[in-house]
Amino acid sequence: MGISAGSGRPVRHGWAQLRRLAGSCGTWRPQSPAPELRRPCRAAVGSRQRPGNALHTARPRRQEVPLTCERYGLRRLPFARLGSGDAAFFEGLMPGRACSNPEELKSSNVDWLKSVRGCSELLLKPKTAAEVSQILRYCHERNLAVSPQGGNTGLVGGSVPVFDEIILSTALMNKIISFDPVSGILVCQAGCILEKLNEYLEERGFIMPLDLGAKGSCHIGGNVATNAGGLRLLRYGSLRGTVLGLEVVLADGTVLDCLASLRKDNTGYDLKQLFIGSEGTLGVITAVSILCPQKPKAVNLAFLGCQDFSRVQETFTTCRAMLGEILSAFEFMDEKCMELVEKHLGLSNPVRGSPFYVLIETSGSNLRHDEEKLNSFLEQAMTSGLVTDGTVAVDDKKIKALWSLRERITEALSRDGCVYKYDISLPVGKLYDLVTDMRARLGHSAKNVVGYGHLGDGNLHLNVTAESYSHSLLDAIEPFVYEWTARYNGSISAEHGLGFKKKQFIQYSKPNEAIFLMQRFKAMLDPKGILNPYKTLPSSP
């Protein structure tokens, strides 16, 4: 079997011939270039479940998602309740941008996975940091809880209310403030959509240093607040390195202007790091300064089949050594993922018959140089038996088609039934062992157990699907999945954050001393606890 430049069909030729083949995915051209007694929320009561499970249930659209507060039997903290005077204040502050229409509030009260739902009665859409400051100053004085929200694409229930918190949306904070084409530093408001930023930068010869499947909806402020990882982390690193400065509004309305546009600033504590990954619990990010790399002049994508996970690992090791500085992404997925993408989304897998698949992207400045390096790697991978089949894409349309096989796995899983989702970080050598052990542990009680993710970052997305929600299935998964991860010094959340669903499991990844210090930071910056309550940190005993 061999690698084609597009058809994905097994090709029986020598390597010299394989390199000259052309097909539908491009041309193979080596020569070219997250206490008050509970007051029931106004909705039907759903079945109660143990807090913390990473659950998504596929259900008909007409059926309402159970309220989080009732499903989990939670008690509302003693925050003030919204009154007519409050609504009048916000309407006066932002005419036409203080929404209390129940129909318009529906989508903002439910997460993207349709797994958690709040009962907020007010949605605010400020346009400036000054308006956010006035909102939070008022809420702090009135003791009104606030749920910051960006694009609402999170997977751990961190971006929607648990009870009746006021939703503070950054959707209208979508202005680009400045861009320096010499340094590549972009300064923008927090509500800018990631894909729009990337389009803006591409026109100027640059790109965003992160790429996500949710790029068409997610906001850069939400990306930073959750320290999103994504598909380009292998090449450009995490947001902790590329974010140069932040503008943040604290719980009492204080505006913290640390919106630096300097790559070097060693004056005192690096306060922005406190807010990156804080999930809106310490302050509301209103603007971001971020270092952007130049747009690669040459991009190649290889989609390859491997016979076992050990070969996937060896392929990564070989790939990293031979491609070096041009390697920009290394993703893996098992055959079950591909089956679901084909079944539920109608996408076509050009490389069939392999237990595992890897997607390798190169990005560089010289087409001929990059293709020569990629060809040399592919020849080595084929002749050594690491790869049995594959296809390569070099033009934008076909590259996007191959990327969609990886980026839309979450969508395919959401159509397969009830999904239990886990975002794990592990040593690369142990990455798929968790999937294998989980599959053996659950047996026929699960419909599908699949694994995929960012192998170059040691990030596994473990997903379990079932026909419907099951307490017994959940008990079989948790806390087993967290205990297994802790045993190998992994993290229970590699890039999704803790949000509402995972906050009670933080002890599997952080010692008590660290958790206590986090709680002290929270108490210092938000003494009334009004910012994104019930999220990120475990409830006090």
Side-chain angles (χ1 to χ4, degrees):
M1 305 189 67
I3 296 177
S4 78
S7 67
R9 295 188 297 272
V11 184
R12 303 180 187 279
H13 295 282
W15 180 254
Q17 292 171 289
L18 288 175
R19 292 186 298 177
R20 292 194 291 270
L21 294 174
S24 62
C25 274
T27 305
W28 188 263
R29 302 174 298 180
Q31 306 304 319
S32 60
E36 183 178 356
L37 291 176
R38 174 172 57 87
R39 182 183 74 171
C41 297
R42 303 179 185 89
V45 178
S47 59
R48 293 188 181 184
Q49 297 165 6
R50 176 153 50 86
N53 72 82
L55 170 70
H56 164 46
T57 306
R59 50 170 62 81
R61 290 185 179 181
R62 65 179 180 274
Q63 186 174 342
E64 207 164 31
V65 179
L67 283 163
T68 304
C69 59
E70 297 183 338
R71 183 180 218 174
Y72 295 97
L74 303 176
R75 292 179 180 271
R76 184 183 183 276
L77 293 174
F79 298 114
R81 299 189 186 277
L82 192 69
S84 58
D86 301 318
F89 171 82
F90 293 122
E91 180 60 31
L93 175 64
M94 303 176 298
R97 292 182 282 124
C99 172
S100 58
N101 186 312
E103 287 301 313
E104 293 183 38
L105 278 161
K106 276 186 178 180
S107 61
S108 297
N109 265 313
V110 181
D111 71 326
W112 180 80
L113 290 175
K114 304 295 187 291
S115 63
V116 289
R117 180 166 68 97
C119 49
S120 177
E121 298 176 351
L122 186 64
L123 168 65
L124 303 178
K125 293 184 177 182
K127 290 183 176 180
T128 66
E131 289 183 342
V132 174
S133 175
Q134 290 179 274
I135 290 169
L136 292 186
R137 183 179 299 114
Y138 182 88
C139 289
H140 185 262
E141 293 173 354
R142 282 274 294 115
N143 197 31
L144 291 165
V146 177
S147 177
Q149 186 176 95
N152 198 13
T153 58
L155 301 177
V156 289
S159 60
V160 295
V162 173
F163 286 91
D164 56 349
E165 301 90 271
I166 295 171
I167 301 173
L168 194 162
S169 169
T170 59
L172 299 183
M173 302 183 69
N174 55 7
K175 300 293 188 296
I176 292 174
I177 300 170
S178 67
F179 176 67
D180 183 354
V182 177
S183 66
I185 297 172
L186 172 75
V187 181
C188 64
Q189 288 185 300
C192 289
I193 294 173
L194 180 58
E195 188 171 51
K196 296 297 182 182
L197 289 176
N198 203 64
E199 291 172 354
Y200 171 88
L201 289 168
E202 283 189 331
E203 294 174 355
R204 292 155 179 81
F206 290 78
I207 60 172
M208 289 295 288
L210 75 159
D211 186 19
L212 307 170
K215 55 182 171 259
S217 304
C218 64
H219 296 182
I220 186 62
N223 298 153
V224 175
T226 57
N227 190 27
L231 306 169
R232 291 176 179 166
L233 189 141
L234 178 64
R235 175 69 176 272
Y236 301 116
S238 78
L239 289 172
R240 293 197 179 278
T242 54
V243 171
L244 302 178
L246 295 176
E247 178 185 69
V248 182
V249 182
L250 305 182
D252 64 357
T254 299
V255 178
L256 181 64
D257 186 357
C258 291
L259 202 60
S261 294
L262 302 171
R263 296 191 66 178
K264 288 186 173 182
D265 180 6
N266 204 18
T267 53
Y269 303 129
D270 191 3
L271 294 178
K272 68 176 182 290
Q273 298 294 346
L274 197 58
F275 300 96
I276 298 174
S278 66
E279 303 184 61
T281 62
L282 300 181
V284 176
I285 296 173
T286 52
V288 178
S289 172
I290 189 167
L291 180 64
C292 304
Q294 287 193 298
K295 179 182 179 181
K297 295 179 180 178
V299 177
N300 296 279
L301 204 67
F303 190 78
L304 312 173
C306 298
Q307 288 303 302
D308 54 51
F309 193 70
S310 64
R311 285 183 173 88
V312 171
Q313 294 179 70
E314 290 183 56
T315 300
F316 172 62
T317 302
T318 304
C319 175
R320 185 174 53 185
M322 296 186 69
L323 298 182
E325 78 286 351
I326 67 171
L327 178 62
S328 54
F330 193 104
E331 302 288 306
F332 90 95
M333 55 228 85
D334 60 24
E335 61 182 336
K336 283 293 182 181
C337 290
M338 291 299 97
E339 289 175 8
L340 294 175
V341 165
E342 291 184 281
K343 176 181 178 181
H344 297 297
L345 304 179
L347 301 183
S348 177
N349 180 5
V351 182
R352 297 176 177 274
S354 296
F356 293 93
Y357 299 92
V358 297
L359 189 153
I360 301 169
E361 182 188 74
T362 66
S363 304
S365 60
N366 187 296
L367 181 61
R368 183 180 294 274
H369 168 267
D370 294 358
E371 286 189 339
E372 288 177 352
K373 295 190 75 168
L374 181 60
N375 289 344
S376 295
F377 157 70
L378 291 172
E379 182 171 8
Q380 174 65 23
M382 284 293 297
T383 56
S384 63
L386 295 178
V387 172
T388 55
D389 196 4
T391 188
V392 173
V394 295
D395 69 81
D396 288 344
K397 182 178 180 180
K398 292 160 188 172
I399 285 174
K400 288 178 181 178
L402 285 180
W403 263 118
S404 66
L405 293 172
R406 163 62 182 87
E407 292 181 321
R408 298 184 68 186
I409 293 173
T410 296
E411 182 183 350
L413 284 162
S414 72
R415 301 187 184 189
D416 199 49
C418 174
V419 188
Y420 303 79
K421 306 181 73 69
Y422 301 92
D423 164 49
I424 306 296
S425 185
L426 286 164
V428 174
K430 303 299 298 182
L431 209 59
Y432 202 75
D433 289 353
L434 176 55
V435 182
T436 303
D437 288 357
M438 186 64 75
R439 194 172 283 153
R441 178 180 176 85
L442 299 182
H444 295 296
S445 61
K447 186 177 179 181
N448 284 298
V449 178
V450 308
Y452 65 98
H454 320 295
L455 187 127
D457 313 330
N459 184 183
L460 169 70
H461 295 308
L462 169 68
N463 288 254
V464 179
T465 69
E467 292 293 348
S468 60
Y469 172 77
S470 166
H471 283 286
S472 59
L473 180 56
L474 178 61
D475 288 340
I477 300 173
E478 301 176 6
F480 173 79
V481 62
Y482 302 123
E483 292 171 344
W484 199 103
T485 301
R487 188 182 312 136
Y488 296 103
N489 300 312
S491 170
I492 66 165
S493 181
E495 61 181 4
H496 294 167
L498 296 170
F500 170 76
K501 295 179 180 179
K502 292 186 178 183
K503 64 171 187 170
Q504 295 300 129
F505 298 113
I506 189 175
Q507 74 275 7
Y508 286 100
S509 294
K510 290 291 185 291
N512 290 334
E513 295 81 1
I515 298 171
F516 177 64
L517 188 56
M518 294 179 197
Q519 292 170 330
R520 290 179 65 185
F521 279 128
K522 171 69 172 176
M524 178 183 67
L525 292 174
D526 182 17
K528 294 186 177 182
I530 66 170
L531 288 178
N532 224 9
Y534 320 103
K535 318 279 180 62
T536 306
L537 296 179
S539 304
S540 300

